[in-house]
PDB file of all heavy atoms in Angstrom:
ATOM      1  N   SER A  23     136.592 150.811  47.499  1.00 88.00           N
ATOM      2  CA  SER A  23     137.210 149.917  46.442  1.00 88.00           C
ATOM      3  C   SER A  23     136.595 148.523  46.500  1.00 88.00           C
ATOM      4  O   SER A  23     136.760 147.774  45.489  1.00 88.00           O
ATOM      5  CB  SER A  23     138.720 149.863  46.590  1.00 88.00           C
ATOM      6  OG  SER A  23     139.044 149.062  47.702  1.00 88.00           O
ATOM      7  N   ARG A  24     135.940 148.191  47.520  1.00 87.00           N
ATOM      8  CA  ARG A  24     135.361 146.840  47.717  1.00 87.00           C
ATOM      9  C   ARG A  24     133.824 146.814  47.777  1.00 87.00           C
ATOM     10  O   ARG A  24     133.177 145.963  48.265  1.00 87.00           O
ATOM     11  CB  ARG A  24     135.895 146.181  48.954  1.00 87.00           C
ATOM     12  CG  ARG A  24     137.483 146.115  49.092  1.00 87.00           C
ATOM     13  CD  ARG A  24     138.099 145.300  48.010  1.00 87.00           C
ATOM     14  NE  ARG A  24     137.843 143.877  48.179  1.00 87.00           N
ATOM     15  CZ  ARG A  24     138.702 143.040  48.878  1.00 87.00           C
ATOM     16  NH1 ARG A  24     139.701 143.534  49.400  1.00 87.00           N
ATOM     17  NH2 ARG A  24     138.369 141.781  48.893  1.00 87.00           N
ATOM     18  N   GLN A  25     133.244 147.874  47.222  1.00 86.00           N
ATOM     19  CA  GLN A  25     131.789 148.063  47.393  1.00 86.00           C
ATOM     20  C   GLN A  25     130.949 146.940  46.803  1.00 86.00           C
ATOM     21  O   GLN A  25     129.991 146.550  47.447  1.00 86.00           O
ATOM     22  CB  GLN A  25     131.369 149.438  46.735  1.00 86.00           C
ATOM     23  CG  GLN A  25     130.029 149.954  47.281  1.00 86.00           C
ATOM     24  CD  GLN A  25     130.085 150.186  48.800  1.00 86.00           C
ATOM     25  OE1 GLN A  25     130.908 150.897  49.318  1.00 86.00           O
ATOM     26  NE2 GLN A  25     129.142 149.581  49.501  1.00 86.00           N
ATOM     27  N   ALA A  26     131.319 146.440  45.671  1.00 84.00           N
ATOM     28  CA  ALA A  26     130.543 145.304  45.069  1.00 84.00           C
ATOM     29  C   ALA A  26     130.519 144.069  46.001  1.00 84.00           C
ATOM     30  O   ALA A  26     129.460 143.452  46.228  1.00 84.00           O
ATOM     31  CB  ALA A  26     131.113 144.930  43.727  1.00 84.00           C
ATOM     32  N   GLU A  27     131.687 143.793  46.624  1.00 86.00           N
ATOM     33  CA  GLU A  27     131.715 142.651  47.551  1.00 86.00           C
ATOM     34  C   GLU A  27     130.937 142.914  48.806  1.00 86.00           C
ATOM     35  O   GLU A  27     130.248 142.021  49.294  1.00 86.00           O
ATOM     36  CB  GLU A  27     133.144 142.382  47.913  1.00 86.00           C
ATOM     37  CG  GLU A  27     134.012 141.902  46.698  1.00 86.00           C
ATOM     38  CD  GLU A  27     135.481 142.029  46.894  1.00 86.00           C
ATOM     39  OE1 GLU A  27     135.913 143.211  46.971  1.00 86.00           O
ATOM     40  OE2 GLU A  27     136.192 141.062  46.877  1.00 86.00           O
ATOM     41  N   LEU A  28     131.071 144.184  49.281  1.00 88.00           N
ATOM     42  CA  LEU A  28     130.260 144.466  50.528  1.00 88.00           C
ATOM     43  C   LEU A  28     128.820 144.389  50.242  1.00 88.00           C
ATOM     44  O   LEU A  28     128.003 143.927  51.102  1.00 88.00           O
ATOM     45  CB  LEU A  28     130.642 145.911  51.028  1.00 88.00           C
ATOM     46  CG  LEU A  28     132.012 146.008  51.553  1.00 88.00           C
ATOM     47  CD1 LEU A  28     132.391 147.472  51.783  1.00 88.00           C
ATOM     48  CD2 LEU A  28     132.169 145.268  52.918  1.00 88.00           C
ATOM     49  N   ASN A  29     128.354 144.887  49.072  1.00 87.00           N
ATOM     50  CA  ASN A  29     126.892 144.847  48.772  1.00 87.00           C
ATOM     51  C   ASN A  29     126.342 143.442  48.677  1.00 87.00           C
ATOM     52  O   ASN A  29     125.175 143.235  48.747  1.00 87.00           O
ATOM     53  CB  ASN A  29     126.623 145.634  47.500  1.00 87.00           C
ATOM     54  CG  ASN A  29     126.811 147.134  47.677  1.00 87.00           C
ATOM     55  OD1 ASN A  29     126.872 147.608  48.815  1.00 87.00           O
ATOM     56  ND2 ASN A  29     127.005 147.816  46.546  1.00 87.00           N
ATOM     57  N   ALA A  30     127.241 142.535  48.346  1.00 91.00           N
ATOM     58  CA  ALA A  30     126.833 141.087  48.174  1.00 91.00           C
ATOM     59  C   ALA A  30     126.545 140.355  49.510  1.00 91.00           C
ATOM     60  O   ALA A  30     125.994 139.305  49.542  1.00 91.00           O
ATOM     61  CB  ALA A  30     127.834 140.351  47.340  1.00 91.00           C
ATOM     62  N   LEU A  31     127.043 141.011  50.608  1.00 92.00           N
ATOM     63  CA  LEU A  31     126.832 140.345  51.891  1.00 92.00           C
ATOM     64  C   LEU A  31     125.497 140.607  52.460  1.00 92.00           C
ATOM     65  O   LEU A  31     124.879 141.699  52.203  1.00 92.00           O
ATOM     66  CB  LEU A  31     127.987 140.857  52.823  1.00 92.00           C
ATOM     67  CG  LEU A  31     129.371 140.410  52.371  1.00 92.00           C
ATOM     68  CD1 LEU A  31     130.425 141.113  53.230  1.00 92.00           C
ATOM     69  CD2 LEU A  31     129.540 138.904  52.429  1.00 92.00           C
ATOM     70  N   PRO A  32     124.959 139.684  53.243  1.00 91.00           N
ATOM     71  CA  PRO A  32     123.575 139.762  53.606  1.00 91.00           C
ATOM     72  C   PRO A  32     123.188 140.796  54.653  1.00 91.00           C
ATOM     73  O   PRO A  32     122.028 141.255  54.703  1.00 91.00           O
ATOM     74  CB  PRO A  32     123.305 138.361  54.214  1.00 91.00           C
ATOM     75  CG  PRO A  32     124.626 137.926  54.662  1.00 91.00           C
ATOM     76  CD  PRO A  32     125.669 138.475  53.733  1.00 91.00           C
ATOM     77  N   ASP A  33     124.092 141.268  55.498  1.00 93.00           N
ATOM     78  CA  ASP A  33     123.692 142.190  56.544  1.00 93.00           C
ATOM     79  C   ASP A  33     124.871 143.091  56.939  1.00 93.00           C
ATOM     80  O   ASP A  33     125.947 142.818  56.622  1.00 93.00           O
ATOM     81  CB  ASP A  33     123.114 141.466  57.735  1.00 93.00           C
ATOM     82  CG  ASP A  33     124.118 140.433  58.256  1.00 93.00           C
ATOM     83  OD1 ASP A  33     125.167 140.825  58.733  1.00 93.00           O
ATOM     84  OD2 ASP A  33     123.709 139.229  58.315  1.00 93.00           O
ATOM     85  N   ALA A  34     124.568 144.085  57.787  1.00 92.00           N
ATOM     86  CA  ALA A  34     125.560 145.092  58.157  1.00 92.00           C
ATOM     87  C   ALA A  34     126.642 144.419  59.044  1.00 92.00           C
ATOM     88  O   ALA A  34     127.881 144.773  58.900  1.00 92.00           O
ATOM     89  CB  ALA A  34     124.897 146.207  58.990  1.00 92.00           C
ATOM     90  N   GLN A  35     126.336 143.412  59.835  1.00 94.00           N
ATOM     91  CA  GLN A  35     127.342 142.730  60.689  1.00 94.00           C
ATOM     92  C   GLN A  35     128.307 141.995  59.813  1.00 94.00           C
ATOM     93  O   GLN A  35     129.507 142.046  60.060  1.00 94.00           O
ATOM     94  CB  GLN A  35     126.607 141.793  61.670  1.00 94.00           C
ATOM     95  CG  GLN A  35     127.585 141.169  62.626  1.00 94.00           C
ATOM     96  CD  GLN A  35     126.888 140.205  63.618  1.00 94.00           C
ATOM     97  OE1 GLN A  35     125.634 140.022  63.590  1.00 94.00           O
ATOM     98  NE2 GLN A  35     127.626 139.740  64.589  1.00 94.00           N
ATOM     99  N   SER A  36     127.806 141.288  58.812  1.00 93.00           N
ATOM    100  CA  SER A  36     128.671 140.572  57.890  1.00 93.00           C
ATOM    101  C   SER A  36     129.564 141.553  57.068  1.00 93.00           C
ATOM    102  O   SER A  36     130.782 141.254  56.962  1.00 93.00           O
ATOM    103  CB  SER A  36     127.853 139.761  56.889  1.00 93.00           C
ATOM    104  OG  SER A  36     127.076 138.792  57.505  1.00 93.00           O
ATOM    105  N   ARG A  37     129.011 142.634  56.671  1.00 92.00           N
ATOM    106  CA  ARG A  37     129.788 143.664  55.952  1.00 92.00           C
ATOM    107  C   ARG A  37     130.901 144.199  56.834  1.00 92.00           C
ATOM    108  O   ARG A  37     132.078 144.398  56.388  1.00 92.00           O
ATOM    109  CB  ARG A  37     128.924 144.837  55.409  1.00 92.00           C
ATOM    110  CG  ARG A  37     128.048 144.296  54.217  1.00 92.00           C
ATOM    111  CD  ARG A  37     127.300 145.487  53.574  1.00 92.00           C
ATOM    112  NE  ARG A  37     126.201 145.945  54.441  1.00 92.00           N
ATOM    113  CZ  ARG A  37     125.032 145.423  54.416  1.00 92.00           C
ATOM    114  NH1 ARG A  37     124.699 144.387  53.725  1.00 92.00           N
ATOM    115  NH2 ARG A  37     124.117 145.913  55.239  1.00 92.00           N
ATOM    116  N   GLU A  38     130.614 144.530  58.099  1.00 93.00           N
ATOM    117  CA  GLU A  38     131.577 145.097  58.996  1.00 93.00           C
ATOM    118  C   GLU A  38     132.657 144.053  59.311  1.00 93.00           C
ATOM    119  O   GLU A  38     133.894 144.451  59.280  1.00 93.00           O
ATOM    120  CB  GLU A  38     130.914 145.537  60.303  1.00 93.00           C
ATOM    121  CG  GLU A  38     131.864 146.092  61.313  1.00 93.00           C
ATOM    122  CD  GLU A  38     132.653 147.310  60.814  1.00 93.00           C
ATOM    123  OE1 GLU A  38     132.176 148.107  59.988  1.00 93.00           O
ATOM    124  OE2 GLU A  38     133.828 147.487  61.164  1.00 93.00           O
TER     125      GLU A  38
END
Side-chain angles (χ1 to χ4, degrees):
S23 73
R24 305 297 289 269
Q25 202 58 55
E27 293 158 298
L28 290 169
N29 290 342
L31 295 171
D33 55 60
Q35 184 178 5
S36 297
R37 287 187 288 276
E38 181 57 33

